Amino acid sequence: MKEKIITKKVKRRLTFLSCAIVLLVGIIVTSVFNDLCQIIHNKNELSLLNNKYDDLLHEEESLQSEITKLQDGDYVARYAREKYLYSMPDEVIIKLPSDKE
């Protein structure tokens, strides 16, 4: 009779330990899965940010080029004539339609 009580205690302990181990393994797997998802998300975000950075560098180069050009008086005069139809005294501006229009 004493052996049955001991075996019941052992069975309860084994059941408890196996449930605890299964629970711990589940928590560890969930944690690793969440970390893996976060790593993948961060890599995708890094890729997007690198692309945006490259675009901004290209835009900076073009703006620096524009700044250099705008410091030249002849370029500014030509730009104002083309873009805003400004003219010098005694000049007549005739705008011809282009292929785009």
Side-chain angles (χ1 to χ4, degrees), residues 65-66 68-81:
S65 172
E66 190 70 22
T68 304
K69 290 177 185 176
L70 287 173
Q71 292 175 356
D72 180 23
D74 293 333
Y75 177 80
V76 172
R78 188 176 72 231
Y79 182 80
R81 285 181 179 166

Side-chain angles (χ1 to χ4, degrees), residues 9-25:
K9 285 182 179 180
V10 170
K11 284 183 183 179
R12 274 191 236 138
R13 285 181 189 163
L14 287 175
T15 304
F16 176 75
L17 286 175
S18 16
C19 288
I21 289 173
V22 168
L23 183 65
L24 287 174
V25 168

Side-chain angles (χ1 to χ4, degrees), residues 11-50:
K11 284 183 183 179
R12 274 191 236 138
R13 285 181 189 163
L14 287 175
T15 304
F16 176 75
L17 286 175
S18 16
C19 288
I21 289 173
V22 168
L23 183 65
L24 287 174
V25 168
I27 291 171
I28 291 171
V29 167
T30 304
S31 175
V32 168
F33 180 74
N34 287 338
D35 291 343
L36 184 62
C37 288
Q38 187 65 37
I39 289 170
I40 291 170
H41 173 73
N42 288 346
K43 282 185 179 181
N44 290 338
E45 187 174 356
L46 179 65
S47 174
L48 290 173
L49 290 174
N50 280 335

